[in-house]
Amino acid sequence: MTIPSKAPRLVLASASPRRLDLLRQIGIVPDAVDPADLDETPLRDELPPQHALRLAAEKASCVAARHPDSWILAADTVVACGRRILPKAEREEEARRCLSLLSGRRHRVLGGIVLLIPGTEGHRRIDRLVRTDVTFKVLDRAETDAYIASGEWKGKAGGYAIQGRAGALVRWIGGSYSNVVGLSLHEVAGMLHGAGFPLPPPTSPEQ
């Protein structure tokens, strides 16, 4: 008698409701959501790409210790102007500084993604770094004030959420839109599929 293999268990190592919503958009529903509580302060002389991948790896490692037999998916999103890493704005003055810096300029959104695959000798790691270029229009005072009043900037990297009202402030985007929201769906689906995780079949359009 053949004993069926146990279905793999996927844990999302993130507290972001946006990442969970994005995964559900393509039919991936994690078995558990277990965020890691980490200090996300950049290290001395740490560049934005290194910062994004390091935090994603640390989140994954932290959560993997609590789920040794599960697949772990972790991510981090960094908004950068040149070598400068913009904060996740928590105060109005932070958000205003971010918007002032982004106004009329092109910046990068870097998404670090780490997938840990369980095995007999611990987890095997796959990682990706996704880059999206975004250009804001030149913002006048009224536009900045209106966006600040919306409150959408709170807790957002770079002080904005492209999936909300800030979408009207973006003049051009090059690369993955979902990466700017919080998770590149193309990369995640490719990583899971390539590693052998069973993905849901694409839905057929209604006849």
Side-chain angles (χ1 to χ4, degrees):
M1 179 179 178
T2 301
I3 300 175
S5 59
K6 186 178 180 181
R9 187 170 181 270
L10 179 64
V11 177
L12 177 62
S14 175
S16 168
R18 296 175 299 282
R19 292 192 180 113
L20 185 58
D21 288 343
L22 284 167
L23 288 174
R24 287 173 173 164
Q25 180 182 318
I26 58 173
I28 299 174
V29 181
D31 297 280
V33 176
D34 187 2
D37 185 15
L38 300 176
D39 179 1
E40 299 190 7
T41 304
L43 301 178
R44 181 181 178 87
D45 297 326
E46 187 173 43
L47 296 175
Q50 298 168 341
H51 183 63
L53 275 177
R54 176 179 66 83
L55 286 185
E58 289 183 0
K59 291 175 184 178
S61 178
C62 177
V63 172
R66 301 195 286 263
H67 304 273
D69 299 321
S70 298
W71 294 57
I72 310 296
L73 178 64
D76 191 77
T77 303
V78 171
V79 175
C81 282
R83 296 167 60 96
R84 181 174 179 177
I85 298 172
L86 273 62
K88 293 182 179 178
E90 298 293 345
R91 302 186 304 276
E92 180 178 321
E93 55 268 30
E94 283 183 317
R96 286 189 180 276
R97 284 198 296 270
C98 287
L99 292 175
S100 176
L101 188 62
L102 298 176
S103 176
R105 293 183 59 181
R106 180 178 299 186
H107 63 276
R108 293 171 294 152
V109 179
L110 301 164
I113 307 172
V114 170
L115 178 66
L116 297 184
I117 305 159
T120 56
E121 299 182 358
H123 284 89
R124 176 168 63 93
R125 171 178 161 180
I126 300 174
D127 59 50
R128 296 287 188 275
L129 181 69
V130 184
R131 169 176 170 165
T132 306
D133 294 323
V134 181
T135 301
F136 266 37
K137 63 176 291 188
V138 177
L139 305 179
D140 60 32
R141 179 61 182 268
E143 288 171 320
T144 299
D145 289 346
Y147 190 69
I148 292 297
S150 75
E152 286 186 351
W153 50 269
K154 293 181 180 178
K156 305 297 192 302
Y160 76 93
I162 196 171
Q163 70 274 24
R165 298 185 184 187
L169 310 180
V170 173
R171 185 169 60 83
W172 178 86
I173 179 171
S176 169
Y177 171 84
S178 62
N179 179 52
V180 185
V181 179
L183 191 65
S184 172
L185 294 179
H186 171 74
E187 289 293 340
V188 167
M191 291 167 73
L192 288 169
H193 176 72
F197 189 89
L199 297 177
T203 57
S204 300
E206 294 183 3
Q207 300 297 324

